[in-house]
Amino acid sequence: MNFSLSEEQLMIQQAARDFAQNELLPGVIERDDAQEFPTKQVEQMGELGFMGMMVDSKYGGSGLDTVSYALVMEELSKIDASSSVIVSVNNSLVCWGLETYGNEEQKQKYLTKLATGEIIGAFCLSEPEAGSDATSQKTTAIDKGDHYILNGTKNWITNGSSADVYLVIAQTDREKAHRGINALIVEKGMEGFEIGPKENKLGIRGSDTHSLLFNDVKVPKENRIGEDGFGFKFAMKTLAGGRIGIAAQALGIAAGAYELALKYSKERKAFGTEISNHQAIAFKLADMHTKIEAARFLVYKAAWDKDQGNNYDLSGAMAKLYASEVAMETTIEAVQIHGGNGFVKDYHVERLMRDAKITQIYEGTSEIQKIVISRSVIKA
Ligand code: CAA
């Protein structure tokens, strides 16, 4: 067993750490406040190769492994989870899905631009009445020979207005239930495709989340990913990898809050000494550190499983479940350690606490992860 990172992985981790400190940290409070999309930073991350990290270099990607991707997600998320979710959706849900299941034409047309960050992508599965229960898709893609006619509404779509390319999951044949679902590539600007208002969110406020409306949108057949009826499996397989990215995001949020709390506790004095000398605080730090390390092992193991070609449904679900719980617990404790200062924006921990919450909800709630985990262990 080897717990060391390779030289290349350490270099990438350092590059992400430097980028987060130098480019994401300035203005992060203001962007969160104003719900401002980090346009300049996304461009920079494209230049650094962070938007298509695992994509083969022949399609413009960085050709890195999933462990490197998790390391980058962790570092970005320590500082700015709004920016990291943009990276996560583009990498795990859009680029990975297209590279793994798209045809050569689709890869040349879309992946080459998505992987460099020239354009960004969105993944559209959730609906007003189909969030966790993803097989109950109401959006329809009716087969009209050489094209589909797409109708319906998608909800809570990350990169909703900033994306150029949308992977949309829709029902073609209701009688076939989940085997009658397709995944279609929809371009911004297609007639009948409308972007709904921006959601006003608790956390990750710099990322843009919208509902999307499809009203008789004509989507050419060549924009279907995979065989007819492959859409649900496409979504499940794609989300299984996505969960590793979100687990790494949760880990980063937890680690970011812990680092701030540790530093603060060594500076802030109460009752004549630094508060880290009080056992009430020291034990909190011990718990936070232990849980973060445990979450880190789960996240890296899931990423490693994916790199080894092992099944990662179970390890990814466990990583996401645990890391997101640790993110929530740790950020709450980080606010507590900061006392009154934790409750004001300047100290960053209240934002991290708000950002942590979504990691227990998107790309499969904690309850969905428990379904995936329990089914897997019972079946085994
Ligand atoms: N890989 C491949 N196939 C899979 C799979 C996987 N990981 N999981 C399920 N499937 C297949 C099954 O094999 C089955 O196919 P067959 O019948 O052909 O064998 C089919 O999918 C249906 O499976 P189930 O019967 O298990 O379906 P279910 O209705 O019980 O639900 C579920 C399964 C795991 C709960 C699933 O509905 C699920 O994951 N729900 C959560 C959806 C989700 O994560 N939503 C997040 C939205 S995206 C988002 O948040 C993005 C963002 O912008 C940040």
Side-chain angles (χ1 to χ4, degrees), residues 155-171:
N155 259 30
W156 311 295
I157 304 303
T158 305
N159 300 340
S161 65
S162 51
D164 303 273
V165 169
Y166 299 77
L167 307 188
V168 182
I169 313 298
Q171 187 85 48

Side-chain angles (χ1 to χ4, degrees), residues 280-302:
I281 301 299
F283 278 14
K284 279 188 197 301
L285 292 167
D287 283 340
M288 289 158 92
H289 184 72
T290 306
K291 288 178 183 176
I292 289 167
E293 199 66 357
R296 185 169 283 126
F297 288 144
L298 281 174
V299 174
Y300 292 2
K301 167 65 166 54

Side-chain angles (χ1 to χ4, degrees), residues 85 89 93 123 125-126 131-135 156-158 178-179 232-233 236-237 239-240 243 246 313 361-365 368-369 371-372 375:
V85 73
V89 167
L93 300 186
F123 180 82
L125 173 69
S126 301
S132 291
D133 183 8
T135 53
W156 311 295
I157 304 303
T158 305
H178 65 266
R179 295 193 185 113
F232 191 72
K233 286 240 156 119
M236 289 298 107
K237 285 190 176 282
L239 275 170
R243 287 168 186 162
I246 299 303
D313 289 355
I361 298 173
Y362 59 19
E363 299 200 26
T365 60
I368 288 293
Q369 305 314 321
I371 292 180
V372 174
R375 282 182 182 175

Side-chain angles (χ1 to χ4, degrees), residues 18-275:
D18 292 344
F19 174 77
Q21 276 297 331
N22 299 333
E23 306 297 337
L24 294 182
L25 186 57
V28 67
I29 294 172
E30 292 74 14
R31 290 195 301 276
D32 170 74
D33 231 9
Q35 295 213 85
E36 186 192 323
F37 188 83
T39 307
K40 183 184 96 186
Q41 290 80 357
V42 170
E43 264 175 42
Q44 292 170 320
M45 289 193 285
E47 284 157 20
L48 282 169
F50 291 170
M51 298 305 279
M53 292 195 63
M54 295 167 288
V55 176
D56 196 307
S57 55
K58 74 176 176 200
Y59 299 116
S62 305
L64 294 165
D65 60 6
T66 315
V67 171
S68 301
Y69 167 57
L71 293 170
V72 169
M73 280 299 297
E74 183 182 340
E75 291 306 322
L76 301 180
S77 307
K78 281 182 185 172
I79 305 289
D80 183 7
S82 293
S83 293
S84 71
V85 73
I86 300 163
V87 171
S88 176
V89 167
N90 201 67
N91 275 277
S92 315
L93 300 186
V94 181
C95 287
W96 187 86
L98 270 175
E99 185 169 26
T100 310
Y101 300 111
N103 61 35
E104 193 53 33
E105 242 173 57
Q106 291 166 346
K107 290 182 202 180
Q108 291 299 342
K109 187 166 176 192
Y110 300 108
L111 184 60
T112 49
K113 293 185 185 147
L114 287 160
T116 55
E118 188 184 330
I119 61 172
I120 62 173
F123 180 82
C124 316
L125 173 69
S126 301
E127 298 187 353
E129 289 171 68
S132 291
D133 183 8
T135 53
S136 302
Q137 294 289 301
K138 298 264 189 309
T139 298
T140 53
I142 302 304
D143 191 337
K144 294 284 183 189
D146 66 344
H147 65 273
Y148 290 97
I149 293 294
L150 187 63
N151 275 292
T153 303
K154 293 289 174 184
N155 259 30
W156 311 295
I157 304 303
T158 305
N159 300 340
S161 65
S162 51
D164 303 273
V165 169
Y166 299 77
L167 307 188
V168 182
I169 313 298
Q171 187 85 48
T172 296
D173 187 342
R174 204 163 292 287
E175 281 185 7
K176 290 188 184 158
H178 65 266
R179 295 193 185 113
I181 290 174
N182 280 308
L184 304 179
I185 305 168
V186 176
E187 292 178 27
K188 184 182 254 162
M190 280 182 167
E191 209 181 325
F193 173 22
E194 206 186 305
I195 294 161
K198 186 163 161 172
E199 300 291 355
N200 188 359
K201 297 174 295 186
L202 173 74
I204 55 161
R205 288 168 57 82
S207 84
D208 61 320
T209 306
H210 291 256
S211 51
L212 305 175
L213 293 89
F214 304 98
N215 189 7
D216 285 335
V217 180
K218 189 174 168 183
V219 184
K221 262 267 169 78
E222 65 252 28
N223 283 25
R224 187 184 72 213
I225 303 172
E227 293 298 304
D228 183 30
F230 182 64
F232 191 72
K233 286 240 156 119
F234 169 81
M236 289 298 107
K237 285 190 176 282
T238 304
L239 275 170
R243 287 168 186 162
I244 302 174
I246 299 303
Q249 180 188 48
L251 168 64
I253 293 171
Y258 165 75
E259 284 171 16
L260 289 169
L262 178 64
K263 181 168 178 287
Y264 184 84
S265 73
K266 293 204 272 189
E267 289 164 3
R268 172 80 178 182
K269 286 192 175 150
F271 305 103
T273 184
E274 288 77 20
I275 60 172

